[in-house]
Amino acid sequence: MEYIVSARKYRPITFDTVVGQAALTTTLKNAVKSGKLAHAYLFCGPRGVGKTTCARIFAKAINCQNPTPDGEACNECESCQSFNEQRSLNIFELDAASNNSVEHIKTLMEQTRIPPQLGKYKVFIIDEVHMLSTSAFNAFLKTLEEPPAHVIFILATTEKHKILPTILSRCQIYDFERMTVRNTVDHLKHVAEKEGITYEEEALAVIAEKADGGMRDALSIFDQAASFCQGNITYQKVIEDLNVLDSENYFQIIDLSINNKVSDIMVLLNSIINKGFDGGLLIQGLAKHVRNVLMAKDPQTLPLLEVSDQQRQRYQEQAQKAETRFLYQALRLMNQCDINYRQSSNKRLLVELTLIEIAQITQPDDGVSAGRRPRRLKSLFKNLIQQPQPKTAAPQVAVAEPAASKPKAQVEQGNPGKPGESRTASDSNTLGNSKPAPKLSNIGFSWSNLRGKSSKMNIIPGSMGDGKEQQATEDQPFTQEDLELQWLSMCNRMPQQYSGIAARMKNMNPVITEMPQIEVTVDNELIKQEMENIFKSILKTLKIYLHNNEITLTILVSDKPVGKKILTRREQFEEMSQKNPAVEALRQAFDLELA
């Protein structure tokens, strides 16, 4: 007896046996019952979901001489029997992938003129219709819009976006859905029982996931697994045959990550890679696993898991152990790894670092572990900011009020009218502890807080002693080297939005004309205008870092001479000949011509 693959042997022959397309089959049956048939249909969807099968069942049903009350074909009349024996003259199938020219469409149009010999309609099923050329589509348009009364077109395609809008507007469009894992597993159980094959439900679930929503692919994989397992389809044999990573590895990695066991994860990763599995596929599978665990935490999202009942129970158990924050951060890390995997030159190291970071998510903040990200850096700077900054003691400090009695804004910003209030926090710390605390200002300044910082610099001297002390500290002389250093530092600190003018300013040479007057020369008026927009910030920055409040800045535009004209080769030769007549004599002696 000839062997027939399951995809052909168990191909549906009625609407009721079609799997996973209940809404579409109901619509088509109702159209057959009522006799309200369109002249053109378009079946679109992924591969292996039943587009061509439904087209054949529909074509047989509309030509059936004695249809059943629910719209199915009777399979007993002459039309149904001729269709089942593949000798029907009323149903034509055309593969548009190999018959996509204008000549093929014209031949098809000629066949539409002949009325059916048996039955009511001539049905033309055009598979992979998106492969038709543009000229073939245009030749098909008029007939598709107004075909003869006895003609019905059924078009099938996997890529609806490639079909011309003028074709789409002339058809009733039916979108076929991907097969769910549950529907696929149920159908595979039915086939296995028919074939007398024993199975494990987890093994059929792996086959359904591998098929990715296509029933034809699922049946093909089922035949392959049945041949490998010799009639007893088990989970271990299926993952071995299909080279699928065991889901047990994903459960172990998450359990180890929750317990911060980095070493065990590295050992498990090494064994997985030694089996021939790619690190990128491991990250993708682990991300899908974590997503399923996240869905299992909430009963509302539990139906989103397309897994077997046993697997769903395991996901629920692990979801109780894992915190939601851990799952969110793990998904973010794995998504970032998946993005960078292709560009990485050391892919294994990237996967290892990602797994290490995942394993460190639940580790306490005060723990120390190799390979841990420096999460304490932010808290370190926070402590530095909170620590008060010392200042030189002044006679007025002893009568300052406690810092706790002052509003926060007054302590931080000070008040020019009340010298005691501007130094309460720092001076109280100076009296209580002689050891100087680290100053955040030593780390550096950003361009965004220069204005606020400069205001502090102008307020503080006014509240400290007499004018002589201010003159001694804020009118200090500076050298040309100091000016150039602070100018370059200022350019390096400018924010991203001023990167253009900062790059130009780095190439400028500010000059001290007469202390403390500074001049800088720019190339054109446009650059001068850009610098004038931030002139106040530039001037305040120079005053702060050069410790001189009397600095003035002048921006000049250079007077560049007119550029020298670029000469052609002939003009260069003529100029050389005028300067040196021997060149012209040499040319004449050898009868040379300039190329």
Side-chain angles (χ1 to χ4, degrees):
M1 184 176 178
E2 182 182 0
Y3 172 74
I4 302 176
V5 295
S6 299
R8 292 178 54 196
K9 185 176 181 180
Y10 295 97
R11 193 168 196 168
I13 58 176
T14 62
F15 284 122
D16 292 336
T17 56
V18 176
V19 180
Q21 310 296 341
L24 298 182
T25 55
T26 301
T27 305
L28 294 177
K29 286 194 295 184
N30 292 338
V32 174
K33 287 191 299 184
S34 62
K36 297 179 180 179
L37 301 175
H39 62 276
Y41 296 87
L42 176 63
F43 294 169
C44 49
R47 68 184 189 278
V49 294
K51 298 185 297 296
T52 307
T53 298
C54 286
R56 292 175 178 175
I57 297 173
F58 185 51
K60 182 174 69 171
I62 61 180
N63 273 323
C64 179
Q65 297 174 350
N66 302 308
T68 60
D70 59 349
E72 294 279 6
C74 66
N75 285 321
E76 296 178 357
C77 63
E78 178 62 24
S79 176
C80 292
Q81 291 180 1
S82 62
F83 177 83
N84 293 336
E85 297 173 3
Q86 298 181 358
R87 55 181 176 84
S88 176
L89 300 177
N90 295 338
I91 300 175
F92 297 88
E93 289 193 34
L94 178 68
D95 181 20
S98 56
N99 301 279
N100 55 5
S101 63
V102 178
E103 289 74 15
H104 293 112
I105 294 299
K106 288 182 178 180
T107 304
L108 182 67
M109 297 303 100
E110 292 176 358
Q111 296 179 4
T112 60
R113 301 176 184 176
I114 304 173
Q117 301 300 318
L118 181 65
K120 300 179 182 179
Y121 299 99
K122 265 194 169 183
V123 183
F124 294 87
I125 301 174
I126 304 179
D127 202 6
E128 301 298 334
V129 69
H130 66 274
M131 298 294 289
L132 289 178
S133 61
T134 304
S135 56
F137 270 129
N138 294 330
F140 187 39
L141 277 176
K142 189 62 178 177
T143 306
L144 184 65
E145 183 177 13
E146 298 178 357
H150 59 270
V151 172
I152 293 179
F153 290 104
I154 303 179
L155 314 179
T157 180
T158 56
E159 301 183 35
K160 184 174 68 172
H161 61 278
K162 292 186 178 180
I163 300 178
L164 297 179
T166 51
I167 297 290
L168 296 176
S169 63
R170 289 165 168 81
C171 302
Q172 282 190 9
I173 301 175
Y174 290 80
D175 290 310
F176 285 69
E177 300 177 355
R178 294 173 61 252
M179 300 292 175
T180 63
V181 173
R182 173 52 54 192
N183 289 336
T184 305
V185 170
D186 291 341
H187 188 65
L188 293 179
K189 287 181 180 179
H190 172 72
V191 174
E193 292 172 357
K194 289 282 187 179
E195 295 291 328
I197 299 175
T198 58
Y199 59 86
E200 293 180 359
E201 186 173 350
E202 291 185 359
L204 299 183
V206 172
I207 295 175
E209 292 177 6
K210 189 75 172 180
D212 194 24
M215 185 60 73
R216 182 173 60 241
D217 293 352
L219 291 172
S220 300
I221 299 173
F222 175 81
D223 289 343
Q224 176 184 343
S227 177
F228 178 78
C229 301
Q230 296 181 352
N232 182 19
I233 301 179
T234 62
Y235 176 78
Q236 291 296 333
K237 290 183 179 180
V238 167
I239 63 174
E240 180 183 354
D241 181 37
L242 302 181
N243 196 28
V244 177
L245 185 60
D246 190 356
S247 60
E248 182 64 26
N249 295 297
Y250 300 138
F251 284 102
Q252 291 183 13
I253 290 176
I254 297 303
D255 289 337
L256 293 174
S257 298
I258 295 175
N259 297 321
N260 312 125
K261 296 182 179 180
V262 177
S263 301
D264 295 340
I265 295 177
M266 293 296 102
V267 174
L268 179 58
L269 174 63
N270 183 69
S271 64
I272 292 173
I273 294 178
N274 289 340
K275 293 179 182 178
F277 293 100
D278 183 65
L281 296 178
L282 170 65
I283 292 296
Q284 294 175 10
L286 186 61
K288 184 178 180 181
H289 174 84
V290 174
R291 176 260 181 195
N292 290 341
V293 175
L294 186 62
M295 295 299 105
K297 290 187 72 68
D298 194 338
Q300 295 182 351
T301 57
L302 190 60
L304 299 179
L305 297 181
E306 295 185 350
V307 295
S308 61
D309 295 337
Q310 296 178 355
Q311 289 287 88
R312 182 179 287 105
Q313 182 65 28
R314 292 203 61 187
Y315 279 121
Q316 287 180 297
E317 294 175 358
Q318 192 168 71
Q320 296 175 358
K321 304 177 185 177
E323 298 179 358
T324 304
R325 181 183 64 87
F326 166 78
L327 298 176
Y328 285 152
Q329 294 190 20
L331 282 175
R332 178 181 58 81
L333 292 172
M334 285 183 288
N335 180 64
Q336 192 65 30
C337 177
D338 187 43
I339 294 174
N340 299 330
Y341 189 78
R342 291 179 179 270
Q343 292 78 19
S344 176
S345 58
N346 193 341
K347 292 180 171 53
R348 175 164 180 168
L349 179 60
L350 177 63
V351 174
E352 291 176 345
L353 289 176
T354 302
L355 296 179
I356 290 173
E357 289 180 350
I358 294 173
Q360 300 298 335
I361 293 176
T362 58
Q363 186 167 353
D365 292 339
D366 56 350
V368 179
S369 176
R372 185 149 179 233
R373 303 180 79 181
R375 295 199 183 97
R376 295 184 60 83
L377 184 61
K378 185 179 294 185
S379 60
L380 172 63
F381 281 108
K382 183 177 180 180
N383 294 334
L384 287 176
I385 294 173
Q386 292 177 349
Q387 290 180 1
Q389 299 180 8
K391 289 186 174 63
T392 56
Q396 299 90 336
V397 172
V399 297
E401 297 179 6
S405 64
K406 298 296 180 179
K408 184 178 180 181
Q410 293 182 4
V411 174
E412 292 181 353
Q413 296 180 1
N415 190 344
K418 297 180 181 181
E421 292 181 2
S422 64
R423 303 189 305 276
T424 53
S426 60
D427 294 341
S428 60
N429 181 72
T430 305
L431 292 175
N433 186 7
S434 60
K435 183 179 179 180
K439 295 179 64 178
L440 183 62
S441 58
N442 294 333
I443 299 177
F445 292 92
S446 64
W447 186 270
S448 59
N449 66 357
L450 282 178
R451 180 174 298 177
K453 193 67 179 177
S454 63
S455 62
K456 293 181 183 180
M457 297 293 292
N458 291 331
I459 292 171
I460 293 174
S463 61
M464 295 177 59
D466 54 5
K468 294 181 181 180
E469 183 178 357
Q470 178 181 356
Q471 183 71 18
T473 57
E474 294 301 323
D475 289 341
Q476 297 179 3
F478 53 91
T479 63
Q480 179 67 27
E481 294 181 357
D482 296 336
L483 173 61
E484 293 176 356
L485 176 62
Q486 297 302 332
W487 182 272
L488 183 60
S489 300
M490 175 182 63
C491 295
N492 292 331
R493 290 192 302 269
M494 291 175 69
Q496 183 65 28
Q497 58 183 346
Y498 298 114
S499 59
I501 187 62
R504 295 185 177 94
M505 289 174 60
K506 287 181 182 180
N507 297 325
M508 299 178 186
N509 295 318
V511 179
I512 303 175
T513 56
E514 182 178 353
M515 183 66 65
Q517 298 177 4
I518 301 174
E519 285 187 1
V520 61
T521 304
V522 299
D523 294 337
N524 51 58
E525 290 289 342
L526 182 61
I527 300 178
K528 179 181 178 182
Q529 184 178 358
E530 292 184 7
M531 291 186 63
E532 288 176 348
N533 293 336
I534 54 175
F535 181 82
K536 293 182 179 180
S537 298
I538 296 175
L539 185 59
K540 284 184 178 180
T541 304
L542 294 177
K543 289 181 179 180
I544 292 172
Y545 286 93
L546 293 175
H547 305 288
N548 194 316
N549 290 329
E550 303 298 328
I551 292 177
T552 60
L553 178 63
T554 305
I555 303 176
L556 303 177
V557 180
S558 64
D559 298 330
K560 288 187 177 181
V562 180
K564 186 177 180 181
K565 178 183 177 182
I566 300 177
L567 303 178
T568 62
R569 291 186 176 183
R570 182 169 295 279
E571 291 174 344
Q572 293 175 2
F573 178 77
E574 292 176 355
E575 184 177 354
M576 291 173 56
S577 301
Q578 292 177 0
K579 293 181 180 180
N580 191 353
V583 176
E584 177 63 21
L586 181 63
R587 186 191 68 79
Q588 295 178 359
F590 289 96
D591 194 17
L592 301 177
E593 292 184 1
L594 184 64

